[in-house]
Amino acid sequence: MSGIPVIAWVMFAADVVVPVTATAIISRRSRALAEAARSSRMTRAAGGPADSPAPSRAGYATALWLIRFDLVGISGVALVCLIVLRSRPSDLVLVESVLFGCCLVSLGLNAVFSRSAAKRAAEEEARENRSTRHGT
């Protein structure tokens, strides 16, 4: 792969590393949430107070679902562009830069959508708690 400028390799690495890192962080936090939910169930079974992890679980589930687009879409397209455009370095750098911008926009939208999913789950849970508390 000679003839590819260093900046194209850097942008390709960013197109791959950012989604992989985001997936690893979200996955790790999701697993920690699952552990907390298990211990919360044990606390609840022992008669102690429990805080429902449903909103966080909904947010992480949405985030993991949306991050697949970055892993497959952005990283896959970056690899194809690296292979196809290796003879045209200026076009390669431009495409890789645009892909990195798309990756950042996608991560921002992921944060917005996962937050709204968590908020909907919290509102639904609060509505459910009110209805059971009032007996309706």
Side-chain angles (χ1 to χ4, degrees), residues 31-71:
R31 281 191 216 122
L33 178 68
E35 287 294 323
R38 271 189 229 113
S39 66
S40 173
R41 276 181 272 180
M42 287 182 221
T43 303
R44 207 174 317 156
D51 193 23
S52 174
S56 297
R57 193 176 314 137
Y60 282 121
T62 303
L64 282 172
W65 183 79
L66 291 171
I67 200 76
R68 290 180 191 146
F69 170 76
D70 285 341
L71 281 175

Side-chain angles (χ1 to χ4, degrees), residues 70-86:
D70 285 341
L71 281 175
V72 175
I74 304 285
S75 299
V77 171
L79 179 63
V80 168
C81 288
L82 188 68
I83 294 168
V84 171
L85 296 175
R86 69 177 174 252

Side-chain angles (χ1 to χ4, degrees), residues 69-133:
F69 170 76
D70 285 341
L71 281 175
V72 175
I74 304 285
S75 299
V77 171
L79 179 63
V80 168
C81 288
L82 188 68
I83 294 168
V84 171
L85 296 175
R86 69 177 174 252
S87 63
R88 299 193 332 238
S90 60
D91 293 340
L92 178 63
V93 170
L94 177 67
V95 169
E96 295 287 347
S97 300
V98 168
L99 282 173
F100 184 67
C102 291
C103 180
L104 294 178
V105 168
S106 176
L107 287 173
L109 289 173
N110 189 347
V112 169
F113 289 139
S114 60
R115 184 176 178 184
S116 67
K119 188 182 276 188
R120 275 193 310 270
E123 289 170 355
E124 188 174 302
E125 185 177 3
R127 194 174 320 118
E128 188 177 290
N129 287 341
R130 277 192 304 254
S131 67
T132 56
R133 192 173 37 211

Side-chain angles (χ1 to χ4, degrees), residues 6-16 78 92-93 96-101:
V6 173
I7 189 69
W9 283 110
V10 169
M11 293 308 297
F12 173 73
D15 288 339
V16 172
L92 178 63
V93 170
E96 295 287 347
S97 300
V98 168
L99 282 173
F100 184 67

